[in-house]
């Protein structure tokens, strides 16, 4: 009986995955495009996310870190129909889980409309395939202007992982073994 419990526990331990690495964008191969007008690609840069800025043009420097994409301006600018797309972002390195926008922050980047309201999260989208799009259409920037987009991964729902099943089956096996043992003791006492 003790041997069967040991075998069940060993099987469950073997199915437990190794401790997952923390989710990060570091190492992702990305393609960054500056789009002008409706869909005219003005500049395309391929880069691996690492320690340096991944993209620089005369409007923005784009730096991608563990979970953040940051757009820093070069000063007081007035932008027309400009957007940036970044393909290849996969926060948890699992194509089955979509990336999510966890937070958005903008400083000194304003819409060119009455009252000059700051841009907000409505200027940002991320597709299930990991394409981030940030629109700076008709905006004005200040000398310290930047946008920060923090990414995360959607929490998957549905089928439990194999380790969860193993732990559940092992637990049921232990409960069954304990019940069987109690039944044997009760039978022995009554006999």
């Amino acid at each position: 009986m003790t041997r069967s419990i040991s075998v069940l526990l060993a099987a469950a331990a073997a199915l437990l995955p190794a401790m997952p690495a923390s989710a990060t964008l570091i190492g992702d191969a990305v393609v960054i495009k500056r789009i002008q007008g409706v869909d005219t690609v003005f500049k395309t840069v391929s880069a691996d996310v690492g320690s340096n800025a991944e993209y620089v043009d005369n409007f923005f420097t784009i730096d991608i870190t563990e979970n953040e994409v940051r757009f820093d301006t070069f000063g007081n600018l007035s932008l027309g129909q400009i957007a940036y797309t970044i393909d290849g972002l996969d926060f948890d390195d699992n194509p089955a889980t979509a990336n999510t926008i966890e937070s958005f922050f903008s400083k000194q980047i304003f819409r060119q409309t009455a009252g000059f309201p700051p841009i907000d999260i409505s200027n940002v989208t991320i597709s299930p395939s990991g394409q981030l799009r940030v629109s700076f259409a008709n905006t004005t920037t200040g000398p310290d202007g930047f946008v920060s987009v923090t990414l995360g991964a959607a929490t998957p729902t549905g089928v439990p992982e194999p380790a969860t099943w193993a732990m559940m089956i092992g637990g049921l096996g232990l409960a069954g073994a304990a019940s069987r043992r109690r039944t044997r003791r009760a039978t022995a006492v009554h006999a």
Side-chain angles (χ1 to χ4, degrees):
M1 159 103 134
T2 306
R3 186 167 195 271
S4 57
I5 292 173
S6 298
V7 169
L8 278 173
L9 291 175
L15 289 174
L16 289 174
M19 199 62 153
S22 61
T24 181
L25 297 172
I26 300 296
D28 286 0
V30 295
V31 176
I32 303 170
K33 295 178 183 176
R34 182 172 104 194
I35 300 173
Q36 294 189 197
V38 176
D39 59 359
T40 303
V41 177
F42 182 79
K43 182 177 181 180
T44 301
V45 172
S46 296
D48 290 329
V49 176
S51 59
N52 298 324
E54 284 71 30
Y55 179 94
V56 179
D57 67 15
N58 53 341
F59 299 121
F60 288 96
T61 296
I62 301 174
D63 189 20
I64 305 170
T65 61
E66 289 85 9
N67 66 338
E68 176 191 30
V69 180
R70 184 175 164 123
F71 297 78
D72 284 294
T73 66
F74 283 112
N76 297 312
L77 301 170
S78 182
L79 306 175
Q81 293 297 322
I82 264 188
Y84 292 86
T85 61
I86 304 173
D87 288 300
L89 297 173
D90 192 0
F91 180 68
D92 65 350
D93 296 326
N94 181 356
T97 56
N99 293 291
T100 60
I101 299 170
E102 298 290 320
S103 67
F104 171 87
F105 183 78
S106 172
K107 178 184 175 192
Q108 295 186 9
I109 300 182
F110 307 98
R111 291 187 176 95
Q112 295 174 1
T113 59
F116 290 93
I119 66 170
D120 58 27
I121 198 163
S122 67
N123 292 66
V124 182
T125 58
I126 190 157
S127 71
S129 65
Q131 182 191 71
L132 180 72
R133 181 182 176 90
V134 182
S135 173
F136 293 99
N138 302 314
T139 59
T140 301
T141 67
D144 296 321
F146 73 89
V147 162
S148 170
V149 180
T150 305
L151 300 177
T155 305
T157 58
V159 180
E161 292 187 19
T164 305
W165 282 108
M167 300 238 340
M168 185 173 64
I169 291 168
L172 289 172
L174 289 173
S179 173
R180 189 170 146 193
R181 188 174 183 187
R182 268 190 247 124
T183 304
R184 281 187 188 165
R185 277 191 187 160
T187 305
V189 171
H190 291 271

